[in-house]
Amino acid sequence: SYTLATLLDLFLQPTALLYTVLSGLVLFVLRRVLKHVLKNDFSTWMGLGYLTLASGMIAGWTGTLIKALVELTITATTAGARDFRHVSTYVFVVLLPWLVSIKLKYVSIGLKHFSTDVFMPLYQATVIGCCAVSGVFYYLDFDVLEIEEEEVEYEEEIESDEWTGGGDEEEEEE
């Protein structure tokens, strides 16, 4: 389980900050192009791409915040942590409804300009992808270095079993 300190360490690591800044920059640039070049015409393919990407990324950030709050609640109830006494915890709480309202705004604009058969599959696929990517960057899910270390440890265990004869085979022979 995570404490507030470990969550803040995870969220403030360079890769997480870079992902957040680059994601925000991509959304900002796409929005400016839609506003100035396409005159806020969301009914184009670029509008569809922007609406699905923006709502999907925001859903990924929302999922990340929900996981953080659930982890803080679990830690508070099982380990008696006092993380809910810190202001930083309530930043997560305040950001959550704000992000959800923005996401719902983009989803409603998408459904206004496109049929459900067009918008929703793209939206759902983008949400799944963005939630996975957020997990990779914020919580180090699928951490490549950790996986490689586990493989090395497993290989070492296999080699040590082969060297000693596997352990279980000796007991069967006796």
Side-chain angles (χ1 to χ4, degrees):
S1 63
Y2 296 95
T3 63
L4 181 61
T6 56
L7 285 171
L8 290 176
D9 286 343
L10 287 171
F11 290 175
L12 295 176
Q13 63 185 328
T15 54
L17 291 174
L18 182 65
Y19 170 69
T20 304
V21 169
L22 288 178
S23 300
L25 185 65
V26 165
L27 292 179
F28 178 78
V29 168
L30 286 175
R31 182 65 181 111
R32 291 296 160 232
V33 168
L34 270 169
K35 184 175 183 179
H36 297 293
V37 176
L38 299 174
K39 308 293 187 228
N40 280 333
D41 184 14
F42 288 103
S43 62
T44 64
W45 65 270
M46 181 129 178
L48 176 64
Y50 172 74
L51 292 170
T52 56
L53 186 63
S55 55
M57 282 184 166
I58 293 169
W61 292 329
T62 303
T64 301
L65 289 177
I66 290 171
K67 181 177 179 178
L69 289 172
V70 167
E71 292 292 338
L72 289 174
T73 304
I74 289 171
T75 305
T77 55
T78 59
R82 298 178 182 200
D83 291 335
F84 282 97
R85 292 186 178 184
H86 298 280
V87 175
S88 302
T89 302
Y90 295 99
V91 171
F92 296 136
V93 173
V94 169
L95 283 175
L96 196 58
W98 179 67
L99 286 173
V100 168
S101 65
I102 293 171
K103 179 189 77 160
L104 291 176
K105 175 186 172 192
Y106 283 132
V107 170
S108 70
I109 292 171
L111 290 173
K112 178 180 166 187
H113 290 284
F114 301 97
S115 72
T116 306
D117 294 340
V118 172
F119 182 76
M120 290 311 289
L122 291 172
Y123 167 72
Q124 290 298 326
T126 307
V127 167
I128 291 168
C130 289
C131 285
V133 170
S134 290
V136 167
F137 284 109
Y138 294 115
Y139 288 102
L140 302 177
D141 291 347
F142 315 115
D143 189 11
V144 175
L145 296 176
E146 185 178 306
I147 291 171
E148 288 176 2
E149 289 174 5
E150 289 175 5
E151 288 176 358
V152 168
E153 290 174 8
Y154 180 70
E155 288 172 2
E156 289 173 357
E157 288 176 14
I158 291 173
E159 288 174 4
S160 66
D161 283 346
E162 289 173 358
W163 183 258
T164 60
D168 292 338
E169 294 171 2
E170 290 177 10
E171 292 175 8
E172 291 176 5
E173 291 175 8
E174 295 174 3

